[in-house]
Amino acid sequence: MTENTLKITFQQAESHRQAAHERLQQTETADTGEVVEQDVRFILNFEEFDDIAQLMRTSNLELIETIVSKKPESIRQLTETVDRDYREVHRNLTELESLGVIEFENNGSSKKPILRGGADNIDFSIRLPQSSDRGEAPGTSA
């Protein structure tokens, strides 16, 4: 059984491109025809500190955790679960949607908040690049 994971990273776009290219090459050279079941990963990479700061707000993390653990059927149910004002929750969900972390499924007359791509869980991987990762000598700045 595969597990759908939303992976959130910071300033790792180039390494993601390289890894995708390597996976593509491996797929093209595989002659066995064997299908290997793998975890499905949706990677969302942020390049700006402001986006990470917005994502990491306590109110947003609380909503993400509740969406993953409780799987609310609507925004209203999520609001009741976290015991917060509907307008505040809706504003935070709009932020998370604009960041690409969540999306909405139409659920009758309501909207069901879900992780991007219908992921079952989320994996945060925040690695601040070393100066050498950016092509700079250690101790120097651009």
Side-chain angles (χ1 to χ4, degrees), residues 8-13 15-16 44-53 124-129 134:
I8 297 178
T9 61
F10 181 67
Q11 293 186 345
Q12 296 178 34
S15 65
H16 295 311
L44 180 60
N45 185 65
F46 292 106
E47 293 293 324
E48 303 296 326
F49 287 115
D50 289 343
D51 291 338
I52 289 294
F124 288 98
S125 175
I126 307 298
R127 179 182 68 86
L128 297 175
R134 295 182 181 212

Side-chain angles (χ1 to χ4, degrees), residues 15 18 48 90-91 93 111 113 118 131 139-140:
S15 65
Q18 184 177 359
E48 303 296 326
H90 191 275
R91 185 181 67 241
L93 290 174
K111 289 180 169 182
S131 58
T140 64

Side-chain angles (χ1 to χ4, degrees), residues 15-28:
S15 65
H16 295 311
R17 277 191 287 277
Q18 184 177 359
H21 180 71
E22 289 170 5
R23 282 191 305 273
L24 182 60
Q25 285 180 326
Q26 289 172 354
T27 302
E28 290 173 348

Side-chain angles (χ1 to χ4, degrees), residues 24-125:
L24 182 60
Q25 285 180 326
Q26 289 172 354
T27 302
E28 290 173 348
T29 58
D31 295 318
T32 63
E34 182 179 325
V35 177
V36 178
E37 194 170 295
Q38 298 179 2
D39 288 347
V40 177
R41 296 195 103 152
F42 300 93
I43 299 176
L44 180 60
N45 185 65
F46 292 106
E47 293 293 324
E48 303 296 326
F49 287 115
D50 289 343
D51 291 338
I52 289 294
Q54 190 176 15
L55 172 65
M56 301 304 282
R57 288 186 191 139
T58 302
S59 57
N60 285 342
L61 291 175
E62 177 185 34
L63 291 177
I64 292 168
E65 178 187 34
T66 304
I67 289 168
V68 171
S69 64
K70 304 292 184 187
K71 300 190 183 339
E73 292 297 316
S74 66
I75 297 172
R76 185 150 317 275
Q77 187 179 22
L78 176 60
T79 300
E80 292 167 2
T81 303
V82 296
D83 194 27
R84 290 182 38 211
D85 179 69
Y86 182 89
R87 288 176 298 198
E88 290 176 17
V89 170
H90 191 275
R91 185 181 67 241
N92 290 137
L93 290 174
T94 300
E95 267 183 356
L96 291 171
E97 182 183 34
S98 72
L99 290 170
V101 176
I102 68 154
E103 55 194 22
F104 294 100
E105 252 180 24
N106 286 329
N107 191 15
S109 61
S110 61
K111 289 180 169 182
K112 178 180 180 176
I114 60 172
L115 287 180
R116 179 181 179 186
D120 301 318
N121 60 59
I122 196 163
D123 174 15
F124 288 98
S125 175

